[in-house]
Amino acid sequence: MEIVGMRKTSEQDSFPWASNNVPLILIKGGTVRYAKDVATKRALLATRGGEILACWPGKWSQDVFHVDDRKAALEALSK
């Protein structure tokens, strides 16, 4: 799967990883998994392969980002 034209989480100054309003979606081998709470997000980020998207609600629209640095995301969720 190729992610084209989507903003990356690593390009954001800060990202609200622990927020329940920012779910993660893993797309891998025809399966889609969803994570909303911190523990489930950690497990999803530790999964090998696939692509992960993060949905961050803005004031007027929903923004979707490509999670391009899983290690940084896991570290942010461990704080």
Side-chain angles (χ1 to χ4, degrees):
M1 169 188 269
E2 182 181 1
I3 305 292
V4 178
M6 189 173 290
R7 292 166 40 187
K8 299 175 184 177
T9 55
S10 66
E11 297 172 345
Q12 305 309 304
D13 290 333
S14 63
F15 199 85
W17 291 107
S19 172
N20 287 343
N21 291 330
V22 179
L24 302 182
I25 300 168
L26 170 69
I27 303 166
K28 180 180 175 184
T31 301
V32 176
R33 289 178 46 202
Y34 173 85
K36 186 174 180 181
D37 62 79
V38 171
T40 309
K41 288 178 183 183
R42 285 183 188 144
L44 189 139
L45 287 163
T47 303
R48 292 184 176 256
E51 297 293 342
I52 299 178
L53 306 177
C55 304
W56 187 0
K59 184 174 181 178
W60 304 108
S61 66
Q62 182 77 28
D63 295 317
V64 180
F65 295 81
H66 177 226
V67 179
D68 60 322
D69 188 345
R70 293 181 190 202
K71 182 179 176 184
L74 277 168
E75 288 174 5
L77 284 169
S78 296
K79 293 180 182 179

